[in-house]
């Protein structure tokens, strides 16, 4: 019976992504702490896990390339090589290549064979080995010394009795032997089938043999032992160093837990496919041996035997590929959840069931004397529902550290390209944010870090001349503030140059010469599409693409971007984002017979103005004076073409809102109260509506629109309404 492993492949890709992150983060730390053996072991284990798991699923290219990385990592672990910037760079680039190979196994674009071959050559050269012909299409790019010039070879006698469950877990013993062959030369191999039961008792799912062989290699016993990591449980394994004459010199303490010998009634091992082909006359023994020696595939054997033509084999392979593509499931989003969160949710569901049962019991015998009990149990139901809602939302909350983890590598690469010395300091990685928001902020943060590295931080000589340390610093921090999360990207560089920004904006026609702008307005110019103060175009920046993407993406998430800068001291970008995109805290307001929700995060205050504070400016509309500053008034009745109860601002209520450092007064008839609302998208079921961010269903069953503050400001500026 064959085991279908396709259902577990998604888990493999998720785990591989985690292992790749461990490798990359570890290598970046290893550059700073080259003597940290624990760090090296952690990197090695992650690489070895990828190699072992890829072999289980038949991703040969991934396993072969990871093995070459593993060889170099093992020499670093054993002290045969030291961690240098050059070796760290090779391993980091190899990690990038491994990501591509895993993506290719997932069905994405195929990797560049020349790049793989070059890296294989560099890995081989670093370990002092001669690169073999690349199995990806071309030989290694670099030739290392001959085996005779490397470390002295040793001979080991290996005996291995696999556990009986080997086949049941989808493990192939031939892959284990194949990995041993990659370490050196195997001779005097033998297979012990003495425990094979009678034919009637055979079970093809049970492994029932022992293998022995002598391996000649330059590797240490620990490397040989690592080959068996995924089959160690219940195995019997011995690795003994032998002298040239074949006498045992010293046994290696590699014996693992034992497996009992099987009785004749226990099942055994199925015949190999090749033996069956020979017995049935499909191929000759000579042809089979030749094919196995050359590692040929079944299609090649059939062609050589004239059992099939090359065209038939090609058509069959094409159908095979098509069937795989057809059966491949669509990528499904997944999330790992702490079991403690699940346990608490299950307990709450239990309490909810109890409350529901109590209400049902009460309903069968209800009279007015039971009203206080009913009110109490409905309140209990409300508490349970609210807590379940919070717990369910908490399941989607993930630490932002998963997003921050990509930036140490980015800063390392940027510092090398720009010829600058840069350190990255991270804090607040444990701050939790909704999974959807986390997935959306990666690109904006990348642009901000690139901007700080390229525009913000000065070259070492310029920093020294300004009395600063030549090592520039970029700090990233995440923290909660009210009902939002704030992420700051701060550098200690030159700061924003007000005069240079103004000159560039005038040159590009963004503002008129002599126009008076506040500092916030000047800083906001860098978010204009196509705007850049870079004098030269590099592969990092200079084309005016990036900062406008930051603003656009953050606004799409319902967030804001602000800038604080000091010339010669540095710049801080602050992103303010909602914790989740599914539920918001809002203020319900009424205009006429309609109700609307205003996001609480945008509300500053509400006022009822005096007649003297409301002014009308020709061509600009109405404004209200609030503590010496004039703010435009947006009448929701005009924006949405509805009838309001109050037409006089002094009798209505003005809700002061702020977004992107712009303030506006929204005129409503009444404030109905604050509540949490679940956002429903209009675009999925209708279309995009200016001034409306979404909709929600209120407790009485009516639909209420959620206002988009930025959209309202734009509508007011252009004198438009939604109805128009």
């Amino acid at each position: 019976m064959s085991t279908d492993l396709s259902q577990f492949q998604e888990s493999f890709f998720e785990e591989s992504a985690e292992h790749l992150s461990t490798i990359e983060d570890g290598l970046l730390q290893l550059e700073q702490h080259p003597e940290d053996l624990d760090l090296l072991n952690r990197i090695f284990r992650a690489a070895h896990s990828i190699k072992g798991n890829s072999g289980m699923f038949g991703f040969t290219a991934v396993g072969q390339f990871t093995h070459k990385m593993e060889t170099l990592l093992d020499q670093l672990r054993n002290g045969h090589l030291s961690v240098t910037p050059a070796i760290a760079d090779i391993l980091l680039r190899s990690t990038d290549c491994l990501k591509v190979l895993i993506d290719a196994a997932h069905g994405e674009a195929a990797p560049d064979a020349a790049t793989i071959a070059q890296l294989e050559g560099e890995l081989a050269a670093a370990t002092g080995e001669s690169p073999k012909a690349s199995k990806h299409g071309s030989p290694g790019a670099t030739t290392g010394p001959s085996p005779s010039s490397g470390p002295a070879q040793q001979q080991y006698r290996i005996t291995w009795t696999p556990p009986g469950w080997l086949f049941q877990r989808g493990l192939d013993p031939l892959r284990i032997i194949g990995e041993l062959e990659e370490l050196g030369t195997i001779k005097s191999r033998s297979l012990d089938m003495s425990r094979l039961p009678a034919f009637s008792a055979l079970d093809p799912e049970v492994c029932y043999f022992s293998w022995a062989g002598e391996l000649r290699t330059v590797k240490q016993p620990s490397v040989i032992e690592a080959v068996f990591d995924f089959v160690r449980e219940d195995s019997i394994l011995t690795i003994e160093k032998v002298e040239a004459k074949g006498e045992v010199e010293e046994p290696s303490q590699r014996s693992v837990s034992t497996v009992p010998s099987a009785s004749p009634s226990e099942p055994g091992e199925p015949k190999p496919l090749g033996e069956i082909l020979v017995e049935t006359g499909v191929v000759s023994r000579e042809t089979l041996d030749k094919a196995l020696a050359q590692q040929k595939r079944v299609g090649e054997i059939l062609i050589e035997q004239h059992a099939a033509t090359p065209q038939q084999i090609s058509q069959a392979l094409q159908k095979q590929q098509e069937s795989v593509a057809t059966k491949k499931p669509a990528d499904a989003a997944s999330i790992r959840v702490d079991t403690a969160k699940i346990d608490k949710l299950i307990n709450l569901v239990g309490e909810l069931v109890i409350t529901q049962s109590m209400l049902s019991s009460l309903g069968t015998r209800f009279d007015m004397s039971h009203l206080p009990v009913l009110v109490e149990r409905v309140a209990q139901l409300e508490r349970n529902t609210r807590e379940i809602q919070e717990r369910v939302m908490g399941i989607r909350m993930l630490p932002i550290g998963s997003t921050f983890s990509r930036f140490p590598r980015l800063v390392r690469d940027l510092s090398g390209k720009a010829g600058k010395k840069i350190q990255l300091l991270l804090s607040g990685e444990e701050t939790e944010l909704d999974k959807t928001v986390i997935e959306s902020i990666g690109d904006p943060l990348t642009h901000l870090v690139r901007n700080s590295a390229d525009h913000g931080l000065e070259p070492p000589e310029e920093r020294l001349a300004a009395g600063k340390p030549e090592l520039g610093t970029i700090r990233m921090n995440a923290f909660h503030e009210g009902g939002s999360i704030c992420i700051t990207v701060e550098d200690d560089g030159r700061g924003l140059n007000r005069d240079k920004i103004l000159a560039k904006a005038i040159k590009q026609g963004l503002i008129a010469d002599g126009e008076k702008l506040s500092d916030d307005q000047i800083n906001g110019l860098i978010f204009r599409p196509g705007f850049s103060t870079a004098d030269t175009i590099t592969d990092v920046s200079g084309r005016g693409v990036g900062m406008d993407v930051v603003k656009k993406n953050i606004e799409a998430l319902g967030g804001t971007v602000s800038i604080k800068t000091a010339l010669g001291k540095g710049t801080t970008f602050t992103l303010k984002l909602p914790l989740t995109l599914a539920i918001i805290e809002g203020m319900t307001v009424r205009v006429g017979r309609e109700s609307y929700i205003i996001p609480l995060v945008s509300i500053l205050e509400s006022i009822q103005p005096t007649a003297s504070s409301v002014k009308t400016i020709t061509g600009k509309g109405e404004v209200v004076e609030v503590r010496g500053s004039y703010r435009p008034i947006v009448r929701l009745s005009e924006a949405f073409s509805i009838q309001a109860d109050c037409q006089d601002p002094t009798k209505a209520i003005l809700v002061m809102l702020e977004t992107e450092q712009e303030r506006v007064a929204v005129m409503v008839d009444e404030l109905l109260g604050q509540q949490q609302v679940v956002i429903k998208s209009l675009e999925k079921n209708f279309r995009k509506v200016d001034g409306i961010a979404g909709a929600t269903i209120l407790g009485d069953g009516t639909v209420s629109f959620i206002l988009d503050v930025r959209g309202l400001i734009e509508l007011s500026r252009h004198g438009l309404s939604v109805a128009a």
Side-chain angles (χ1 to χ4, degrees):
M1 186 180 82
S2 61
T3 302
D4 182 13
L5 298 179
S6 60
Q7 58 181 315
F8 304 111
Q9 286 188 4
E10 286 305 317
S11 295
F12 162 75
F13 292 118
E14 290 178 7
E15 291 178 5
S16 295
E18 293 178 4
H19 291 317
L20 286 168
S21 178
T22 298
I23 293 172
E24 185 173 87
D25 293 346
L27 289 172
L28 292 171
Q29 295 178 47
L30 198 62
E31 281 191 302
Q32 310 300 322
H33 310 283
E35 305 300 326
D36 192 335
L37 186 58
D38 289 338
L39 193 55
L40 259 173
N41 286 328
R42 186 160 68 245
I43 297 168
F44 181 87
R45 285 193 298 270
H48 191 69
S49 296
I50 292 176
K51 185 182 79 169
N53 293 343
S54 63
M56 184 186 303
F57 291 101
F59 300 138
T60 308
V62 174
Q64 290 173 347
F65 188 82
T66 311
H67 178 74
K68 292 175 171 60
M69 290 180 62
E70 193 181 62
T71 301
L72 177 54
L73 288 168
D74 188 63
Q75 292 205 14
L76 294 173
R77 285 198 313 163
N78 294 329
H80 296 158
L81 292 173
S82 299
V83 179
T84 63
I87 285 181
D89 186 66
I90 292 173
L91 287 170
L92 281 168
R93 288 188 287 113
S94 297
T95 303
D96 293 339
C97 184
L98 185 56
K99 289 179 185 176
V100 176
L101 285 168
I102 291 175
D103 288 342
H106 203 187
E108 300 181 17
D112 179 28
T115 301
I116 297 174
Q118 178 183 344
L119 282 169
E120 286 179 343
E122 291 184 38
L123 289 168
T127 56
E129 296 179 354
S130 297
K132 299 178 181 179
S134 173
K135 297 180 182 180
H136 305 284
S138 59
T142 309
T143 302
S146 63
S148 60
S149 64
Q153 288 193 337
Q154 301 290 340
Q155 191 158 316
Y156 299 91
R157 181 176 298 151
I158 305 170
T159 59
W160 174 45
T161 300
W165 46 254
L166 189 74
F167 298 141
Q168 296 172 0
R169 297 192 184 180
L171 298 171
D172 185 354
L174 292 180
R175 293 188 182 276
I176 305 295
I177 308 303
E179 287 193 38
L180 288 176
E181 290 176 331
E182 292 183 3
L183 299 181
T185 304
I186 298 179
K187 62 179 183 177
S188 303
R189 68 181 74 193
S190 62
L191 195 64
D192 182 2
M193 303 294 293
S194 60
R195 295 178 301 157
L196 187 68
F199 182 80
S200 60
L202 283 175
D203 185 339
E205 291 190 0
V206 175
C207 179
Y208 215 176
F209 68 85
S210 297
W211 180 90
E214 292 190 0
L215 172 66
R216 189 167 182 80
T217 179
V218 298
K219 304 296 183 183
Q220 297 296 315
S222 59
V223 181
I224 303 172
E225 184 182 359
V227 171
F228 297 89
D229 275 356
F230 291 92
V231 294
R232 290 174 66 95
E233 183 184 355
D234 297 331
S235 285
I236 299 176
L237 174 66
T238 59
I239 303 172
E240 301 171 328
K241 185 177 178 182
V242 298
E243 295 179 345
K245 295 179 180 180
E247 300 173 353
V248 176
E249 185 183 73
E250 53 177 322
S252 175
Q253 63 286 359
R254 309 293 174 188
S255 182
V256 194
S257 56
T258 60
V259 58
S261 60
S263 61
S265 61
E266 288 184 327
E269 175 188 62
K271 283 189 177 181
L273 177 62
E275 295 296 329
I276 297 175
L277 290 173
V278 172
E279 288 181 2
T280 54
V282 176
V283 296
S284 65
R285 169 68 64 181
E286 181 182 0
T287 301
L288 179 62
D289 291 343
K290 182 180 178 182
L292 292 174
Q294 298 177 358
Q295 296 184 341
K296 290 190 176 180
R297 299 183 179 182
V298 174
E300 297 176 39
I301 297 174
L302 294 175
I303 292 172
E304 287 186 358
Q305 293 295 310
H306 304 290
T309 65
Q311 291 79 8
Q312 290 173 323
I313 296 296
S314 178
Q315 290 173 2
L317 289 173
Q318 185 175 356
K319 287 183 179 179
Q320 183 186 52
Q321 302 249 348
E322 290 173 354
S323 66
V324 170
T326 303
K327 293 180 180 179
K328 182 183 176 182
D331 291 342
S334 62
I335 184 172
R336 295 199 171 197
V337 182
D338 188 342
T339 54
K341 291 183 177 181
I342 300 296
D343 292 340
K344 290 177 181 177
L345 187 59
I346 291 174
N347 290 336
L348 282 170
V349 170
E351 292 183 20
L352 185 65
V353 171
I354 293 172
T355 304
Q356 185 270 335
S357 177
M358 293 167 64
L359 286 170
S360 297
S361 175
L362 187 63
T364 59
R365 53 183 178 81
F366 181 78
D367 58 49
M368 291 307 295
S369 64
H370 295 145
L371 184 59
V373 179
L374 176 62
V375 172
E376 178 186 347
R377 291 178 182 176
V378 169
Q380 183 178 347
L381 178 65
E382 182 181 358
R383 289 194 299 270
N384 290 341
T385 304
R386 172 60 68 94
E387 193 168 355
I388 286 177
Q389 173 190 305
E390 292 174 355
R391 295 293 184 186
V392 170
M393 294 307 301
I395 288 177
R396 292 181 55 87
M397 305 297 280
L398 298 175
I400 199 171
S402 59
T403 299
F404 278 8
S405 63
R406 73 172 68 177
F407 295 109
R409 174 69 185 280
L410 176 65
V411 169
R412 176 190 182 274
D413 293 343
L414 289 174
S415 62
K417 290 179 180 178
K420 300 177 181 179
K421 296 183 178 180
I422 307 174
Q423 66 172 344
L424 176 66
L425 302 179
L426 302 175
S427 58
E429 298 100 318
E430 70 286 349
T431 306
E432 290 191 336
L433 190 59
D434 187 278
K435 178 176 182 287
T436 306
V437 180
I438 281 183
E439 291 172 347
S440 303
I441 61 174
D443 284 345
L445 288 176
T446 299
H447 287 301
L448 290 178
V449 172
R450 283 175 170 268
N451 181 80
S452 293
D454 193 51
H455 291 285
L457 296 177
E458 313 94 328
E461 59 275 9
E462 185 178 331
R463 292 181 63 87
L464 290 173
K468 295 181 177 181
E470 62 178 350
L471 179 65
T473 301
I474 298 176
R475 291 181 175 86
M476 297 183 69
N477 183 30
F479 56 93
H480 289 291
E481 187 177 87
S484 303
I485 184 174
C486 292
I487 306 172
T488 59
V489 179
E490 176 186 358
D491 65 70
D492 63 348
R494 54 173 68 98
L496 296 181
N497 189 317
R498 174 191 174 97
D499 296 335
K500 191 172 185 179
I501 292 173
L502 281 174
K504 195 79 171 185
I506 293 171
K507 183 178 179 181
Q508 294 184 357
L510 299 177
I511 60 174
D513 192 3
E515 185 175 346
K516 301 296 183 182
L517 298 176
S518 66
D519 288 343
D520 288 340
Q521 290 174 319
I522 294 172
N523 294 338
L525 290 171
I526 69 173
F527 293 114
R528 296 287 186 92
F531 186 87
S532 175
T533 57
D535 298 321
T536 58
I537 294 176
T538 68
D539 58 351
V540 176
S541 64
R543 300 185 184 275
V545 178
M547 299 305 288
D548 61 317
V549 174
V550 173
K551 187 169 184 287
K552 181 179 179 182
N553 289 2
I554 296 302
E555 285 180 359
L557 293 172
T560 60
V561 188
S562 61
I563 305 173
K564 183 179 179 181
T565 185
L567 192 62
K569 294 184 178 180
T571 303
T572 301
F573 293 91
T574 302
L575 310 183
K576 193 171 186 179
L577 296 158
L579 285 175
T580 176
L581 301 183
I583 294 178
I584 65 167
E585 290 284 348
M587 176 66 71
T588 308
V589 300
R590 181 181 64 82
V591 180
R593 291 185 297 176
E594 303 293 335
S595 61
Y596 299 93
I597 306 291
I598 302 176
L600 206 60
V601 68
S602 301
I603 299 177
L604 296 175
E605 60 181 329
S606 60
I607 62 173
Q608 194 162 21
T610 61
S612 60
S613 63
V614 178
K615 309 289 184 185
T616 300
I617 301 176
T618 305
K620 299 272 187 177
E622 294 174 296
V623 296
V624 60
E625 182 186 7
V626 182
R627 290 182 286 276
S629 299
Y630 286 91
R631 307 299 179 192
I633 297 176
V634 175
R635 293 175 178 253
L636 287 185
S637 58
E638 293 182 1
F640 298 114
S641 299
I642 57 177
Q643 184 65 41
D645 292 346
C646 299
Q647 299 298 329
D648 183 354
T650 62
K651 296 180 180 180
I653 295 175
L654 298 183
V655 183
M656 304 300 299
L657 307 179
E658 182 180 45
T659 180
E660 300 172 32
Q661 294 152 1
E662 288 190 70
R663 295 186 178 183
V664 65
V666 173
M667 182 172 156
V668 301
D669 292 334
E670 184 182 4
L671 302 180
L672 299 180
Q674 176 184 335
Q675 62 178 312
Q676 271 193 342
V677 295
V678 179
I679 302 175
K680 301 292 184 182
S681 172
L682 282 184
E683 297 181 47
K684 290 183 179 178
N685 303 300
F686 182 52
R687 62 177 174 83
K688 172 65 178 173
V689 179
D690 294 331
I692 300 294
T696 190
I697 300 175
L698 300 179
D700 60 1
T702 60
V703 175
S704 181
F705 292 114
I706 301 169
L707 299 183
D708 173 16
V709 180
R710 166 51 56 190
L712 286 177
I713 292 174
E714 295 299 327
L715 283 173
S716 175
R717 275 185 184 153
H718 295 89
L720 300 175
S721 68
V722 174

